[in-house]
Each structure stands twice: as C-alpha cells, then as structure tokens.
Amino acid sequence: MNSLPQPFKTAKRRVHHKRHSVMPPTPPVALLLVAASYDTDEFSVTLVFDRAVNAAGLDASAITVDDGEFAAGLFVGSGPATIVNPTTIKIFLEEIGGPTVSDVELSATGASGIVAVDDGGTWEGAAGVVLPFP
C-alpha cells in the first residue's frame, strides 16, 4: 500500500503567551511633619517627620518661625540642617524682623528641599503651625 501525499501541510499549533502588564511606578508619598519644637536658647527649630529624611538639599530660607511670645522676632532658617536622627532635623534661625503674631508659629514652603530617603517624597511645607507641635 502506497500512501498518497497530503494535499496540504498542517501548521504547527500556535502557542499564545500571556502578556505581562507593566505596573506604573508608585508615586512618592509626601512627608508628614509629626512634631516640631522651638528652642529660644539657641534659636533653632527641630522638625520630626514620619520617616527618614534627607536634608542635603535644604533651602533653610524656606522655613520661618514667627515668635510673638518669647523673643519677639521673625526668624528665618539659616545654614545647613543638623541631623538629630534619621527622622529629625534641627535648623538654626536668624532674626529678620519683628513678629506678626502673638504666639509662636512655624511656616515653610514646599521648596524647603527636605525629602524622604525611601521614595523621594517631599515635604509640602506648613503654614502657621503653632509651636510646639503637636
């Protein structure tokens, strides 16, 4: 018995591979200020955040303390930050004018340059936070 050739060839079975979806990168989470204190003996403000921070890019002039209660002055951050521990920094202050409030208030712009070590999240700043906080 002689077999006749098939009139067509069957194609190899196609294997479909499941496509892997690419997850977009997780956006950085903003830093949260959890505590702040003001020291009138050395004219400094200490800031405590919810996680480790990097203050190497600090623009101290973005941080002010308006003291109408103790030293009767308006103070701006000066110089580099002192690292107290991974979540805490101290910023020294210099007087730039008279107070505009009757208590002690911290203000900072989002351009302070303080960022989270883990994901680069930035501190959005603060406006009129009464010190000590909380």
Side-chain angles (χ1 to χ4, degrees):
M1 235 175 150
N2 203 355
S3 69
L4 296 172
Q6 294 282 335
F8 56 90
K9 285 188 174 183
T10 56
K12 288 185 179 179
R13 182 173 181 184
R14 291 187 181 181
V15 178
H16 295 282
H17 296 281
K18 183 177 181 181
R19 290 188 180 185
H20 297 287
S21 61
V22 177
M23 297 296 291
T26 305
V29 177
L31 276 171
L32 295 177
L33 183 68
V34 295
S37 60
Y38 169 58
D39 185 335
T40 56
D41 291 335
E42 60 182 16
F43 290 102
S44 66
V45 63
T46 301
L47 308 175
V48 181
F49 294 93
D50 64 332
R51 58 193 194 274
V53 295
N54 179 345
L58 174 70
D59 177 0
S61 68
I63 298 168
T64 60
V65 173
D66 202 347
D67 178 0
E69 188 174 346
F70 302 108
L74 176 61
F75 299 88
V76 66
S78 176
T82 300
I83 305 300
V84 177
N85 63 48
T87 62
T88 308
I89 61 172
K90 180 185 287 187
I91 301 164
F92 290 95
L93 305 165
E94 64 182 42
E95 189 171 1
I96 59 169
T100 62
V101 298
S102 60
D103 54 0
V104 179
E105 297 181 10
L106 167 73
S107 293
T109 70
S112 67
I114 300 170
V115 299
V117 170
D118 60 0
D119 65 0
T122 59
W123 181 38
E124 295 173 354
V129 174
V130 177
L131 296 178
F133 168 77

